Amino acid sequence: MEPINARSMLDVTAGATADQPFVERRRRLSPAALEVVNRKVHKAYSPIVIAGFVRLADFAMLSVVGTAVYLAYVIPLSGFHWEYFVAILGITAVAVVCFQAADIYQVQLFRGHLRQMTRMISSWSFVFLLFIGVSFFAKVGGEVSRVWLAGFFFVGLAALIGSRAFLRSLVRNWARQGRLDRRTIIVGSDRTGEELIEALNAQDDSDIHILGVFDDRNDSRALDTCAGAPKLGKVDDIVEFARRTRVDLVLFALPISAETRILEMLKKLWVLPVDIRLSAHTNKLRFRPRSYSYLGEVPTLDVFEAPITDWDLVMKWLFDCIVGGLALIAALPVMGLVALAIKLDSPGPVLFRQKRFGFNNERIDVFKFRSMYHDQADPLAAKVVTRNDPRVTRVGRFIRKTSLDELPQLFNVVFAGNLSLVGPRPHAVQGKLQSRLFDEAVDGYFARHRVKPGITGWAQINGWRGEIDNQEKIQKRVEFDLYYIENWSVLFDLYILLKTPLSLLTKSENAY
């Protein structure tokens, strides 16, 4: 038996990676598309979240300014008066509402200087005039220190101007890096596509960055360059293109009358975690204004929206960090005992890395406790584990049955960030149903990768876990995963998480 030491307990193996090299199935892209793919791309920042944080920052900063002036001037002269705190919170809250009414919480305005400053100064002045008027009619003006009020106004104004100057430089830097752009591809390289691109490019302060156009046609109707945007390939190439570079929006420049073509294309593209819209700028048929969403002044019809974005994404991230961190701390004693049992049972490292599908088909390394003999490890899951599989160790059978082998995935959640606590389970990249890969066995299989995968999920607590040996098992998992994606909420995540231990005890007949 191998000696047990701290280093060997923390060793990680990638199994037989050297003997079983992972080969990705990738579609060949055109030289123009590869040129776009190879450019450096930064992670996108949500304008909605940025504006939300600026509102919170304004409220916190102005509250601190009002309180600081009160503590510096009023307290030494007349002692404590709780009414000032009510006034500070009231002024601050009304200021944020007025800033919102003045429409200065827009990322486009954050980039500018003069327009946002004039609106902000006017709104801040209006708030104090309103406070003075209310104080006069309520006959409490004599009880409020005029020095405090003047100090709050001028110091608050200076703080607002300083914060906006800093925000302006920050947002401009993000804009130069492309973090605020909506990276867009156009479907339709013809005259209609040209008109759409020209309309989008003609708008001031637009966040639309057109990467290029895609079109299946090879005749004279399909232009090689559409209003300066290069043709990058056919519609079949879009999925692979969006896997290899950041795409935020797919915009169809095809008329509504091309219904059959559009439906065929949507069947291929709906698996992507992007917004898909149909341009309506040339359509003669007009709907009510509320039926449209607008890119500047260009009307579009929403077809698919990327799931879990903006504040939902922030909430899910906080849930993973807080609950995942607490779960990891609570699980450490159990993980220590499992690691010791594995080390005593068979030689080899305690942890095992397996290649799995992550968000948007990204290949990620998922940590698990080793449940197989080290020399028979299968990092690509090319061969499905079956009942009484001779590759599985004695301890391995127990930890697989109880899902204790999944506990190291908390490291993926808390530190690597490529897993969530709850989401579609990440399948191995070479997972197969009989001789077919999962994406070949189930139509729309990759749609489950529109969100980050999770340690547990809606399919798992409903009994769809363990060996996949027939069509129904993989089909049901995909159906449950898609239901989860379309109905996600923090409470739904919490429900799934709380129900997971019970499901492990009552629905583990397929896990071995």
Side-chain angles (χ1 to χ4, degrees), residues 42-55 105-108 110-111 167 170-171 174-175 178-183 207 246 248 275 306-315:
H42 292 278
K43 184 178 179 181
Y45 292 157
S46 166
I48 294 174
V49 174
I50 292 173
F53 275 116
V54 173
R55 292 185 186 94
Y105 288 123
Q106 294 185 43
V107 172
Q108 290 87 348
F110 294 156
R111 301 185 195 185
L167 181 62
L170 193 62
V171 169
W174 289 341
R179 295 183 183 273
L180 303 178
D181 291 341
R182 300 189 67 181
R183 290 167 60 88
D207 62 349
R246 197 187 98 216
D248 303 307
D275 291 337
I308 312 182
T309 58
D310 301 325
W311 282 110
D312 287 344
L313 194 61
V314 174
M315 294 298 295

Side-chain angles (χ1 to χ4, degrees), residues 85-302:
F85 289 100
V86 176
I88 290 169
L89 292 176
I91 290 173
T92 302
V94 172
V96 173
V97 172
C98 287
F99 292 161
Q100 178 66 45
D103 216 17
I104 65 172
Y105 288 123
Q106 294 185 43
V107 172
Q108 290 87 348
L109 277 178
F110 294 156
R111 301 185 195 185
H113 188 71
L114 183 60
R115 277 202 301 170
Q116 73 162 325
M117 288 300 180
T118 54
R119 292 185 187 183
M120 185 178 65
I121 292 171
S122 300
S123 300
W124 184 238
S125 301
F126 171 77
V127 170
F128 276 81
L129 290 174
L130 181 64
F131 178 79
I132 291 170
V134 170
S135 300
F136 173 78
F137 285 107
K139 297 182 179 181
V140 295
E143 301 177 13
V144 178
S145 167
R146 289 184 290 273
V147 175
W148 170 79
L149 194 62
F152 190 6
F153 175 79
F154 287 109
V155 176
L157 182 60
L160 286 169
I161 292 173
S163 66
R164 284 304 189 275
F166 172 75
L167 181 62
R168 177 172 177 261
S169 65
L170 193 62
V171 169
R172 286 197 165 192
N173 184 50
W174 289 341
R176 283 193 296 270
Q177 295 175 352
R179 295 183 183 273
L180 303 178
D181 291 341
R182 300 189 67 181
R183 290 167 60 88
T184 303
I185 56 178
I186 307 295
V187 179
S189 180
D190 53 16
R191 182 55 193 161
T192 303
E194 277 193 323
E195 292 177 2
L196 174 60
I197 294 173
E198 289 168 356
L200 292 172
N201 289 337
Q203 299 178 133
D204 294 330
D205 295 327
S206 174
D207 62 349
I208 298 296
H209 176 204
I210 298 173
L211 303 177
V213 294
F214 289 81
D215 200 309
D216 278 341
R217 296 169 295 185
N218 292 318
D219 54 26
S220 59
R221 293 175 297 174
L223 306 173
D224 291 333
T225 303
C226 190
K231 182 182 176 184
L232 302 179
K234 298 183 178 182
V235 173
D236 285 340
D237 300 323
I238 294 178
V239 172
E240 179 62 28
F241 181 80
R243 301 291 193 208
R244 297 169 66 177
T245 190
R246 197 187 98 216
V247 174
D248 303 307
L249 173 65
V250 176
L251 187 57
F252 281 81
L254 304 176
I256 294 178
S257 57
E259 177 183 356
T260 303
R261 288 180 62 203
I262 293 172
L263 289 176
E264 287 298 319
M265 294 176 186
L266 290 177
K267 287 180 182 179
K268 302 172 184 177
L269 303 181
W270 75 282
V271 300
L272 294 173
V274 301
D275 291 337
I276 300 178
R277 297 188 186 183
L278 178 63
S279 170
H281 75 293
T282 60
N283 292 332
K284 294 180 181 179
L285 177 63
R286 288 294 175 184
F287 302 103
R288 291 182 304 171
R290 290 183 181 180
S291 301
Y292 298 104
S293 57
Y294 288 83
L295 301 174
E297 297 180 356
V298 176
T300 64
L301 295 170
D302 293 342

Side-chain angles (χ1 to χ4, degrees), residues 383-408:
K383 182 180 178 183
V384 177
V385 176
T386 58
R387 189 183 300 273
N388 300 320
D389 196 311
R391 298 174 298 165
V392 180
T393 64
R394 292 173 299 174
V395 171
R397 289 192 181 92
F398 175 75
I399 63 176
R400 291 178 71 92
K401 189 76 172 179
T402 57
S403 289
L404 291 175
D405 62 324
E406 310 283 359
L407 285 178

Side-chain angles (χ1 to χ4, degrees), residues 2 8-14 342-343 346-352 369-372 374:
E2 284 186 29
S8 65
M9 291 288 284
L10 297 175
D11 279 346
V12 179
T13 180
I342 293 171
K343 203 65 183 176
S346 64
V350 167
L351 297 180
F352 172 74
F369 279 125
R370 179 175 58 83
S371 59
M372 295 184 181
H374 175 50

Side-chain angles (χ1 to χ4, degrees), residues 439-466:
D439 63 296
E440 298 169 345
V442 180
D443 187 35
Y445 170 81
F446 285 134
R448 65 194 300 276
H449 300 155
R450 288 184 295 159
V451 299
K452 196 184 296 185
I455 295 178
T456 184
W458 183 235
Q460 282 62 47
I461 68 168
N462 283 280
W464 300 106
R465 56 187 291 262

